[in-house]
């Protein structure tokens, strides 16, 4: 039974479809999911922002354990070298030369005639081959190309050192019989593996893929999400159902693929209800050890903070320490650094003790005791859950209500006795004050974070 190689193109597809770029952790989540469900190769999006993309892709390269990591290498030797730097540390790196082979794309988009394009294909593949043993040639818009020119391009790719050729149906209007015919012709032309990337624009993606498999194609490119794309879950189900007729199988884990993809989609869509502009600005935040203090200051302003020069310096110092262990930080991590490093105010209010009761039958009730200037003050309040009632009890202690702009909780260690980290953002007179608290008790961590932010407000007002 023939094994069909599955290449996941989710990152590339979402990069093309979405107006707002994926977050750092969302991209790594997509890569991890593709690797976990058994994809044989993972395709990255073309480099757009060299500094940010190189950080993200190097992180992915270090974390992908099983799949081949493929990156589009651009249209020049310089682009190829930059792409190689991003994936060279991967266990199985691959450089991909993407070139259009239809007349409309070659002449009107790249302004290159057919004979010159053949030479360009050989030149690019040879340049990539000098850096990486595994080089793929991807024939873009192949279903609209002249078949003789397409076979000449595939032959040139093989002769120049390509280890794989891919036929792409970018127009999305070719019927399954047409895909099968092109695959059959390609298999007769080259001896290296032939892959196909079909489109699902007319809802024939699965049928086209199965037709290609019947004609001997070696690999299929599909995605876990995206518009007009063959979905990996649907392809896996189809091959499983028709495995005997096709005499084909894949490495995809059928038992967990759908649940894993759903978890991944939940991860990348968690901010879908936020304002588009706000999401866009926050998603641009990616800081590393090379980031300057001015870049840190700019990022904190995007998040809504107005920090002093000394506070920006403290955050920058904390950033450099974090980046020694972690390649880069995004918006959420930066907010935690601001909470723990910026505007460290004297402890005007100090937590003495707290008690909270909660059940699904009655409202939660909390009692919080604070000490301020040697005086002990106590507050008792009810609320929707132990944390809400605890915050209300603190407000009763201080006799003032501050707008709770944001509240975040996450585990910082693993296991039953994991440390929980809470970040509380309070707004006073239009300005944000962020507090951080850590404890094995998440309620205690939340109370400490609230008091930490409160002390910053009191200190600045004084």
């Amino acid at each position: 039974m023939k094994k069909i190689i599955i290449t996941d193109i989710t990152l590339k597809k979402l990069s093309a479809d979405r107006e707002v770029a994926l977050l750092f952790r969302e991209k790594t989540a997509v890569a991890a999911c593709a690797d976990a469900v058994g994809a044989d190769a993972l395709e990255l999006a073309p480099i757009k922002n060299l500094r940010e993309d190189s950080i993200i892709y190097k992180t992915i390269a270090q974390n992908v354990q099983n799949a081949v990591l493929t990156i589009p290498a651009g249209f020049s030797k310089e682009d190829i070298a930059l792409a190689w730097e991003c994936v060279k540390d991967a266990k199985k790196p691959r450089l991909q030369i993407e070139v259009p082979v239809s007349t409309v794309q070659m002449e009107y988009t790249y302004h290159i005639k057919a004979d010159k394009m053949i030479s360009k294909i050989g030149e690019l593949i040879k340049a990539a081959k000098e850096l990486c043993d595994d080089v793929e040639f991807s024939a873009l818009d192949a279903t609209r190309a002249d078949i003789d020119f397409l076979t000449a391009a595939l032959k040139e790719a093989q002769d120049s050192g390509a280890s794989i050729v891919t036929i792409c149906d970018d127009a999305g209007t070719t019927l399954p019989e047409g895909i099968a015919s092109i695959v059959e012709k390609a298999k007769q032309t080259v001896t290296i593996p032939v892959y196909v990337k079909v489109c699902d624009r007319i809802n024939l993606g699965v049928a086209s893929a199965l037709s290609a498999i019947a004609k001997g194609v070696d690999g299929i490119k599909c995605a876990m999400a995206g518009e007009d794309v063959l979905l990996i879950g649907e392809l896996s189900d189809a091959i499983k159902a028709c495995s005997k007729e096709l005499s084909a199988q894949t490495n995809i884990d059928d038992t967990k693929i759908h649940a894993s993809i759903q978890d991944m989609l939940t991860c990348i869509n968690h901010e879908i209800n936020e304002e588009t502009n706000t999401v866009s600005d926050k998603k641009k935040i990616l800081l590393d050890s090379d980031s300057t203090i001015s870049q840190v200051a700019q990022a904190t302003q995007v998040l809504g903070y107005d920090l002093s020069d000394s506070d920006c310096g403290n955050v920058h110092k904390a950033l450099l320490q974090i980046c020694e262990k972690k390649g880069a930080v995004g918006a959420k991590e930066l907010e935690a650094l601001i909470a723990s490093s910026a505007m460290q105010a004297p402890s005007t209010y100090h937590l003495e003790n707290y008690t909270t009761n909660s059940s699904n039958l009655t409202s939660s009730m909390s009692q919080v005791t604070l000490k301020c200037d040697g005086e002990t003050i106590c507050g008792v309040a009810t609320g929707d859950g132990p944390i809400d009632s605890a915050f209300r009890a603190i407000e009763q202690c201080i006799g003032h209500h501050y707008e709770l702009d944001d509240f975040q909780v996450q585990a910082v260690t693993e296991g039953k006795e994991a440390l929980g980290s809470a970040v509380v953002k309070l707004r006073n007179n239009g300005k944000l004050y962020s507090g951080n608290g850590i404890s094995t008790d998440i309620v205690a961590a939340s109370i400490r974070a609230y008091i930490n932010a409160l002390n910053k407000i009191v200190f600045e007002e004084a």
Side-chain angles (χ1 to χ4, degrees):
M1 190 169 287
K2 182 176 181 178
K3 176 190 168 186
I4 304 299
I5 302 298
I6 301 297
T7 299
D8 179 83
I9 59 171
T10 308
L11 284 172
K12 178 183 282 188
K13 188 60 182 169
L14 293 182
S15 175
D17 290 349
R18 290 168 60 119
E19 294 182 5
V20 177
L22 292 175
L23 287 169
F24 179 97
R25 55 190 166 81
E26 290 173 336
K27 290 181 180 179
T28 55
V30 171
C33 181
D35 196 32
V37 300
D40 299 286
L42 168 65
E43 205 163 298
L44 300 172
I47 296 174
K48 293 181 179 179
N49 184 310
L50 177 60
R51 177 177 169 273
E52 292 186 6
D53 288 343
S54 63
I55 293 171
I56 296 170
Y57 291 169
K58 286 178 182 179
T59 302
I60 292 174
Q62 293 172 354
N63 293 332
V64 170
Q65 299 298 313
N66 304 307
V68 174
L69 192 62
T70 305
I71 185 169
F75 204 66
S76 69
K77 291 184 178 181
E78 293 75 16
D79 292 340
I80 292 172
L82 293 175
W84 174 242
E85 287 297 317
C86 293
V87 298
K88 67 180 183 180
D89 294 329
K91 289 187 175 181
K92 303 173 185 177
R94 176 182 293 161
L95 291 176
Q96 179 188 63
I97 302 300
E98 292 186 310
V99 171
V101 291
S102 65
T103 302
V104 64
Q105 290 290 339
M106 286 189 295
E107 296 190 7
Y108 294 98
T109 303
Y110 282 80
H111 310 294
I112 296 178
K113 296 290 184 179
D115 56 338
K116 296 293 185 182
M117 185 59 82
I118 292 290
S119 300
K120 189 68 174 179
I121 291 171
E123 174 190 327
L124 294 174
I125 291 176
K126 288 175 183 176
K129 193 71 175 180
E130 292 177 359
L131 300 173
C132 182
D133 290 334
D134 192 356
V135 177
E136 173 189 351
F137 170 63
S138 189
L140 302 179
D141 206 20
T143 53
R144 293 195 295 175
D146 176 79
I147 191 64
D148 292 332
F149 178 78
L150 174 61
T151 54
L154 299 180
K155 190 70 168 61
E156 176 67 22
Q158 177 178 266
D159 293 344
S160 299
S163 49
I164 297 165
V165 293
T166 299
I167 297 165
C168 302
D169 177 24
D170 298 304
T173 56
T174 305
L175 296 176
E177 308 89 73
I179 296 290
S181 176
I182 296 174
V183 167
E184 185 176 27
K185 189 70 174 179
K187 291 292 291 182
Q188 294 170 355
T189 303
V190 297
T191 58
I192 57 178
V194 175
Y195 292 3
V196 66
K197 186 184 78 174
V198 300
C199 182
D200 198 42
R201 188 167 298 154
I202 54 177
N203 300 319
L204 290 174
V206 172
S208 296
L210 297 184
S211 296
I213 292 173
K215 292 297 182 179
V217 82
D218 301 284
I220 304 288
K221 293 194 175 185
C222 44
M224 294 181 284
E227 298 178 3
D228 302 332
V229 66
L230 173 62
L231 296 178
I232 193 171
E234 294 180 359
L235 176 64
S236 175
D237 292 342
I239 292 178
K240 182 180 179 181
C242 305
S243 60
K244 290 184 179 180
E245 292 84 348
L246 295 171
S247 188
Q249 61 182 3
T250 70
N251 280 341
I252 299 300
D253 189 335
D254 297 307
T255 60
K256 66 178 183 180
I257 181 172
H258 295 290
S260 298
I261 291 175
Q262 188 57 49
D263 290 343
M264 181 272 295
L265 291 175
T266 300
C267 172
I268 66 174
N269 291 324
H270 72 287
E271 289 181 317
I272 196 151
N273 293 322
E274 291 192 34
E275 239 179 86
T276 302
N277 291 336
T278 303
V279 175
S280 179
D281 288 340
K282 287 185 177 181
K283 286 179 181 289
K284 293 177 183 176
I285 294 176
L286 188 67
L287 302 173
D288 63 0
S289 57
D290 294 326
S291 299
T292 63
I293 293 180
S294 62
Q295 289 172 329
V296 171
Q298 184 179 7
T300 59
Q301 289 175 355
V302 170
L303 295 176
Y305 295 96
D306 183 17
L307 302 183
S308 66
D309 291 343
S310 61
D311 282 335
C312 284
N314 291 334
V315 174
H316 183 256
K317 184 178 179 180
L319 170 70
L320 296 181
Q321 293 174 343
I322 291 295
C323 288
E324 289 179 359
K325 300 179 180 179
K326 182 177 182 179
V329 301
K332 295 294 185 183
E333 294 92 340
L334 180 59
E335 286 189 320
L337 290 179
I338 294 170
S340 59
S341 305
M343 194 180 168
Q344 293 304 300
S347 184
T348 304
Y349 290 98
H350 176 72
L351 176 64
E352 287 290 293
N353 56 67
Y354 77 93
T355 302
T356 183
N357 296 306
S358 183
S359 77
N360 65 338
L361 300 177
T362 61
S363 297
S364 178
M365 177 176 289
S366 294
Q367 171 268 320
V368 177
T369 302
L370 305 179
K371 183 169 281 189
C372 178
D373 297 330
E375 179 185 356
T376 300
I377 49 180
C378 184
V380 179
T382 59
D384 185 15
I387 293 175
D388 181 51
S389 61
F391 287 176
R392 291 174 184 269
I394 295 173
E395 291 178 350
Q396 191 178 88
C397 288
I398 63 178
H400 189 86
H401 170 75
Y402 292 104
E403 179 186 349
L404 181 62
D405 189 89
D406 193 16
F407 172 60
Q408 304 168 22
V409 176
Q410 63 180 1
V412 295
T413 58
E414 299 179 353
K416 294 182 179 179
E417 298 180 357
L419 280 176
S421 173
V423 174
V424 169
K425 292 199 290 185
L426 300 179
R427 190 176 294 276
N428 182 44
N429 295 326
K431 187 174 180 180
L432 280 178
Y433 298 83
S434 184
N436 176 256
I438 295 177
S439 175
T440 54
D441 181 346
I442 204 61
V443 177
S446 303
I447 293 173
R448 294 179 193 279
Y450 191 103
I451 294 172
N452 185 223
L454 172 63
N455 283 330
K456 293 178 181 181
I457 296 175
V458 174
F459 176 71
E460 185 161 292
E461 287 181 340

